[in-house]
Amino acid sequence: MDIQDMGILQLISKIFRNKQTILDKYMKKYDLSNGTLPYLLNLESAEGISQINLSKRMHIDKAMTARTVSKLITQGLICNSRNEEDGWSYNLYLTDKARAIMPLIHHDMDTLMGLMEQGISQEELEITRRTL
């Protein structure tokens, strides 16, 4: 199938899959995947958030969040502490290890976005953003 014959949803899906594949390659050096990265990015901007609120914020079910948080704790990238107001929940924080690699991750993401936007004018990018 040629690009002119593809519908907009097919094109978006193709772009997304390609971006995920490339992002996995970038994140491999940090022992991360494109699935764990959004958790770190969300925690970076909302440290101390509860695991339940993280799930809500990301629109991801609690079981998936629990598995991913557990993996990131095992990797030493996040830590949790019991919420003093609500003894049942935990607040999540980035570790120093995660804080050290976040600037590198942001640099890699900027590089990836630069590659994806190559050959597209700023006007075309803005039209695409507004349209989507």
Side-chain angles (χ1 to χ4, degrees):
M1 178 181 284
D2 150 313
I3 289 207
Q4 282 109 357
D5 296 334
M6 295 177 84
I8 187 75
L9 292 178
Q10 287 176 309
L11 288 170
I12 290 170
S13 178
K14 186 175 182 132
I15 292 167
F16 178 78
R17 285 191 316 272
N18 286 337
K19 190 258 323 169
Q20 294 294 80
T21 300
I22 295 167
L23 188 56
D24 266 337
K25 290 176 184 173
Y26 275 87
M27 294 301 110
K28 189 173 184 154
K29 63 185 161 193
Y30 309 110
D31 199 24
L32 295 171
S33 69
N34 66 58
T36 55
L37 181 60
Y39 290 87
L40 292 176
L41 294 172
N42 273 278
L43 280 175
E44 183 181 37
S45 63
E47 282 204 70
I49 192 171
S50 71
Q51 192 167 309
I52 291 170
N53 286 333
L54 181 62
S55 288
K56 289 177 184 175
R57 178 183 174 126
M58 295 178 63
H59 306 286
I60 295 176
D61 67 89
K62 290 186 275 187
M64 175 59 82
T65 299
R67 285 190 298 271
T68 305
V69 163
S70 178
K71 179 179 180 177
L72 291 169
I73 289 172
T74 300
Q75 290 177 290
L77 294 170
I78 64 173
C79 60
N80 61 5
S81 68
R82 192 167 296 278
N83 183 321
E84 292 179 16
E85 295 172 13
D86 170 12
W88 294 100
S89 66
Y90 288 89
N91 296 333
L92 304 172
Y93 301 90
L94 295 178
T95 63
D96 289 340
K97 179 180 175 181
R99 283 190 195 91
I101 65 170
M102 291 309 289
L104 303 172
I105 288 172
H106 284 291
H107 175 75
D108 287 346
M109 290 176 56
D110 289 344
T111 300
L112 173 59
M113 288 308 299
L115 290 171
M116 291 182 70
E117 294 172 353
Q118 205 167 30
I120 303 172
S121 72
Q122 286 302 312
E123 181 182 0
E124 291 167 325
L125 284 171
E126 188 53 40
I127 290 168
T128 303
R129 283 185 189 104
R130 281 196 318 262
T131 302
L132 294 175

